[in-house]
Amino acid sequence: MAEDHKSFMNIINNSPSCAERWAGLTEKAIADARAHGVTLEPDDCLNIREIRLAAMGAELDSEAYQNELLNLPQLSMAARKKAIQEGDSDIRAAALSDLNRWRENEHFSHRTAHAARRLSEARELGIATPAPAQDELSRNDRLEMLKEVKDPAERLALARKWNLIK
């Protein structure tokens, strides 16, 4: 639990009505995150200001709650990953930019560790490989082109590149 939530948790632990509201709101946030394909822990809910306020008796502002929920790192990563999988080139470019931010400030002795972390994050987002090139060649066109390639190794490499063989 973050240190800045210590006072809030003292209030929750000393008030049965607040504790009851907090439990219900935490369950709601966990269920809402699950609907987005993300698993939240109860401590993650402490980072949603709107449900902390609602637990202490304020009315829940649904729009503010949704914005805060979707901006949690776990959910924003899931949303970014989904957008990349759907082919959003702007989100993909922003993700690549974020991965490479501060790269020039890395100490040389930690460069390999940073590169491994960046590659891991890129794989998690689905951007470790370049976006598939859009071209109009059909499978039959590619097969016809392969007939004209004389070198067997080059022919095999092209067939693999074009996903004609595995």
Side-chain angles (χ1 to χ4, degrees):
M1 168 177 32
E3 191 63 37
D4 56 304
H5 300 299
K6 190 173 186 177
S7 296
F8 172 75
M9 289 309 296
N10 283 336
I11 293 168
I12 295 300
N13 292 332
N14 291 313
S15 170
S17 61
C18 288
E20 187 177 320
R21 282 191 299 265
W22 175 247
L25 290 163
T26 300
E27 288 176 20
K28 174 183 175 30
I30 290 171
D32 290 347
R34 194 173 298 123
H36 291 282
V38 174
T39 302
L40 283 183
E41 296 296 323
D43 282 350
D44 296 329
C45 297
L46 288 169
N47 295 317
I48 305 173
R49 180 181 168 268
E50 195 58 40
I51 64 172
R52 289 194 320 264
L53 293 173
M56 292 190 295
E59 187 174 328
L60 181 68
D61 180 345
S62 296
E63 186 176 330
Y65 159 71
Q66 283 296 324
N67 285 337
E68 288 183 54
L69 179 71
L70 294 175
N71 283 318
L72 288 175
Q74 302 94 318
L75 276 98
S76 63
M77 177 72 97
R80 183 179 263 192
K81 183 177 179 179
K82 182 180 177 191
I84 289 169
Q85 288 174 346
E86 291 173 353
D88 188 325
S89 60
D90 292 337
I91 299 291
R92 180 179 165 67
L96 281 170
S97 176
D98 286 349
L99 281 174
N100 291 317
R101 186 171 290 141
W102 312 117
R103 193 172 175 183
E104 64 277 354
N105 296 335
E106 294 172 355
H107 192 269
F108 73 91
S109 65
H110 300 284
R111 201 157 274 154
T112 303
H114 290 296
R117 177 194 49 79
R118 280 193 308 275
L119 182 59
S120 176
E121 288 178 27
R123 284 183 178 144
E124 188 176 328
L125 286 169
I127 57 174
T129 57
Q134 301 287 56
D135 64 41
E136 302 299 319
L137 292 176
S138 70
R139 179 178 171 83
N140 288 336
D141 292 339
R142 292 174 194 265
L143 289 170
E144 289 298 320
M145 289 173 66
L146 281 178
K147 286 181 184 177
E148 298 172 10
V149 176
K150 302 292 182 213
D151 180 28
E154 186 178 342
R155 189 177 323 131
L156 184 61
L158 280 172
R160 284 189 178 131
K161 179 180 174 184
W162 293 337
N163 292 320
L164 297 173
I165 60 172
K166 296 192 190 263

